[in-house]
Amino acid sequence: MAIEVRVPTILRSYTGGSKVVEGSGDTLSGLIDDLDSRHNGFKGRLITPEGGLHRFVNIYVNDEDVRFLGALDAKLNDGDSVTILPAVAGGALGFAAAAALLGPSHRSAATRKRTEGR
Amino acid sequence: MNSVLTIDSAIVKAIVAHARRDHPDEACGVVTGPIGSDVPTRHIPMDNAARSMTFYEFDSMEQLRVWREMDDNDEEPVVIYHSHTATEAYPSRTDVSFAGEPGAHYLLVSTREPDVEEIRSFRIVDGVVTEEEVNIVDATVDA
C-alpha cells in the first residue's frame, strides 16, 4: 500500500498533469523527498530554502492540517491520504510588511502574522 | 490575454454586502462553478482567519471542507474574492505572491468609499496581473 497524494492545479506541471499521485514515507518530510525523486522540483514548491513548510500551501493528512500534526515531522501510515491545497491569502498589507513577506525571511513574518490573527 | 468575468448581479450584490458587513476587516470568499464552465454559480463567504484590516486568509480547515465539496460536485473555484478596506481594488504584491489558482478570476472589492461600489477582476498567473472586464448579468442563479 502507498500514500495517496492529491495535487492542486498549480503543481500539476510537476506530475505530468496528474491530480492524484502515490508516494511513500514514514513522515511528511520523507513523503516529499520520495515525490521529489519522481517529480523533480516538487519539493521546492512545498519547502522553503530554510527547510520549513512553505507558506503558500496547506497540506493535510486525512482531515488534519499538518501544522497541527508536527508539520514536516507529521507521521504517515500506509493508506493515509495527503491533500495539498494552495493557501488562499493576501490583502492590502503595508509596503514594509509585504516586502518582509516576499523576502527571504518571509516565513517568520508570516508566522507572526498568523499568531497575531488568532 | 483578453478575458472577461461574466457574473450574476445577485452574486455581486451578495459579495459587496459581505465586504460591507466585515468592514473595516477584509472579507474573503469564493464562487464555485462547474469545472470548465467559467460560470460562477455558488457563492461561499469564507471566514477571514486573520481578522485583519490589511490581511486575509482562508481558515485552512474550512478551505479543506469547501474544496472537498467542490471535488464531490465537480466544481472548481471560478472566482476568489476579497476586499481592500482603505485602498483601491487592485491586487497588492501580497495578493500576487499568494495567488495559487491560475484558472480563477481574482475579484477585488474596495469598501473605502461607503457609497461607491468599486469592483474589479484580474487574472493572476505566474506573478503576472491582467485586469479583465466584469460583465454583470441578471438573474441566472440564486446567490
Side-chain angles (χ1 to χ4, degrees), chain A residues 42-78:
Chain A
F42 201 73
K43 184 176 177 174
R45 298 298 297 271
L46 304 179
I47 297 179
T48 65
E50 296 82 39
L53 204 51
H54 218 299
R55 174 74 179 133
F56 302 116
V57 288
N58 293 334
I59 304 180
Y60 308 87
V61 176
N62 301 323
D63 290 327
E64 277 293 336
D65 186 330
V66 297
R67 289 185 180 94
F68 306 120
L69 298 173
L72 288 166
D73 298 329
K75 295 273 177 288
L76 297 176
N77 294 300
D78 274 356

Side-chain angles (χ1 to χ4, degrees), chain B residues 67-98:
Chain B
W67 257 243
R68 286 241 171 102
E69 222 173 78
M70 277 193 266
D71 245 11
D72 293 344
N73 296 343
D74 294 319
E75 289 176 318
E76 62 188 351
V78 179
V79 173
I80 292 174
Y81 72 88
H82 75 282
S83 62
H84 285 175
T85 58
T87 54
E88 67 173 333
Y90 190 88
S92 67
R93 285 169 56 186
T94 318
D95 294 335
V96 174
S97 60
F98 270 99

